[in-house]
Amino acid sequence: MFQGSMVALVTPMRDDGSLDWESMAALIDWHIEQGTHAIVTVGTTGESATLDMQEHVEVIRRTVDMVNHRIPVIAGTGANSTSEALELTQAAKDAKADACLLVTPYYNKPTQEGLFQHHAYIAQRVAIPQILYNVPGRTAVDMLPETVARLAAVDNIVGIKEATGNLQRAKEIRERVPQDFLLLSGDDATAVDLIELGGLGEISVTANVAPRLVAQMCEKAIAGNMAEARAINDRLMPLHKSLFLESNPIPVKWALAQMGKIAAGIRLPMTPLSERFHEPLRQAMIAAGIL
């Protein structure tokens, strides 16, 4: 059910930072038309850290309604507070999301045992498929393969978004977990390589601006057509890199605004893309054929 190109969807905002539901609906329709395989809402790219609890739940609810069963919806429900993550995960289940994505608790720097207990606690209390999310570059905590393996045995925990970009790490996880445990890339630049190691797709930033190309790339890689998948990836590589010239989602929101898909709104402490990065990102978009 969860494979291929899963876009880490931005949360469109107006220039004053208010949520733009019309643009969100249009983005979702565009992604479905372009072949995106699933929507991941209110993750890192969706600015979950700057939405309050009510907004967070409302974005999940509206995304589910807008998608209307056409493709799966995965709701970001992680938090650095276990009780808050539990509340968000229950809210996502109530909104009829298809699964949840739970980032490791950031800032607290829990031990591996703390990570295990946090995720197991939520999984044991909310009956919805849950995908772990390991991104130590943003959270300051790294979920090790042995902890992933322990959690893979917990009911309702069905996979991991591995965003370290470390392919040796991905290989070790694949060797430790059951075959039906989902291994998903959270790093666009290495996603094709991770799929070759046994992954089933990626949760992608690049798919926000190049949905058809990322969907085709994932489809070909999953089918074993690695030469064709790598050819698409090579075309997208300047874009993969340029979308991280500043902290995500600053560049991708600027790119979508240039495409006329959303307004330029972004919430503090995030700021608009620095002018010195406009031209490099524009050239990467042109090279990918999306501008």
Side-chain angles (χ1 to χ4, degrees):
M1 183 178 184
F2 308 114
Q3 68 173 30
S5 174
M6 291 164 264
V7 63
L9 194 70
V10 301
T11 300
M13 298 173 183
R14 300 181 184 87
D15 291 341
D16 64 0
S18 61
L19 303 184
D20 184 350
W21 304 117
E22 290 183 1
S23 292
M24 180 179 288
L27 274 182
I28 288 169
D29 287 343
W30 179 57
H31 274 285
I32 293 170
E33 183 272 326
Q34 292 282 301
T36 294
H37 301 106
I39 301 288
V40 180
T41 187
V42 279
T44 304
T45 311
E47 292 178 83
S48 56
T50 61
L51 301 181
D52 64 32
M53 179 73 76
Q54 183 178 351
E55 289 174 324
H56 194 130
V57 173
E58 184 69 2
V59 171
I60 294 171
R61 188 187 67 78
R62 291 203 187 212
T63 300
V64 171
D65 289 346
M66 290 170 183
V67 171
N68 193 25
H69 307 290
R70 291 177 288 175
I71 57 176
V73 173
I74 302 169
T77 60
N80 63 344
S81 159
T82 302
S83 60
E84 182 178 334
L86 178 66
E87 183 178 349
L88 286 170
T89 303
Q90 183 62 55
K93 181 180 187 295
D94 294 342
K96 301 190 185 325
D98 295 289
C100 291
L101 178 71
L102 290 101
V103 70
T104 53
Y106 44 87
Y107 187 78
N108 298 330
K109 299 180 76 172
T111 64
Q112 295 301 303
E113 182 62 26
L115 290 174
F116 174 80
Q117 292 194 25
H118 168 84
H119 286 287
Y121 183 90
I122 297 164
Q124 289 161 359
R125 285 160 177 79
V126 187
I128 187 172
Q130 295 171 34
I131 299 169
L132 310 170
Y133 176 15
N134 188 42
V135 58
R138 293 195 77 129
T139 62
V141 61
D142 187 8
M143 182 182 288
L144 299 179
E146 50 265 37
T147 304
V148 178
R150 288 180 69 195
L151 287 166
V154 176
D155 286 348
N156 299 320
I157 296 179
V158 301
I160 184 169
K161 174 186 176 182
E162 174 52 49
T164 61
N166 182 336
L167 294 172
Q168 183 57 41
R169 167 68 62 86
K171 182 179 179 183
E172 186 174 351
I173 291 171
R174 182 72 282 166
E175 291 170 349
R176 286 175 174 262
V177 299
Q179 193 59 41
D180 62 353
F181 188 79
L182 294 171
L183 177 59
L184 304 172
S185 174
D187 178 64
D188 280 296
T190 59
V192 170
D193 295 318
L194 185 140
I195 292 171
E196 189 174 29
L197 290 173
L200 276 180
E202 66 165 322
I203 296 177
S204 171
V205 175
T206 302
N208 276 281
V209 292
R212 189 180 300 280
L213 284 171
V214 177
Q216 290 172 345
M217 181 184 76
C218 289
E219 288 168 0
K220 291 181 183 301
I222 291 168
N225 299 324
M226 300 310 300
E228 294 179 52
R230 292 189 197 286
I232 298 172
N233 195 47
D234 289 345
R235 176 178 171 185
L236 290 172
M237 190 60 71
L239 194 55
H240 295 331
K241 294 178 179 179
S242 296
L243 289 174
F244 288 87
L245 286 168
E246 289 187 325
S247 297
N248 180 44
I250 290 171
V252 74
K253 284 197 125 178
W254 182 88
L256 282 166
Q258 294 301 298
M259 295 169 70
K261 297 294 185 183
I262 63 171
I266 194 164
R267 286 188 178 176
L268 288 170
M270 294 303 200
T271 52
L273 184 68
S274 299
E275 189 170 349
R276 70 182 184 277
F277 295 130
H278 289 190
E279 193 57 28
L281 181 47
R282 183 179 287 110
Q283 289 304 314
M285 294 169 72
I286 292 170
I290 61 173
L291 194 63

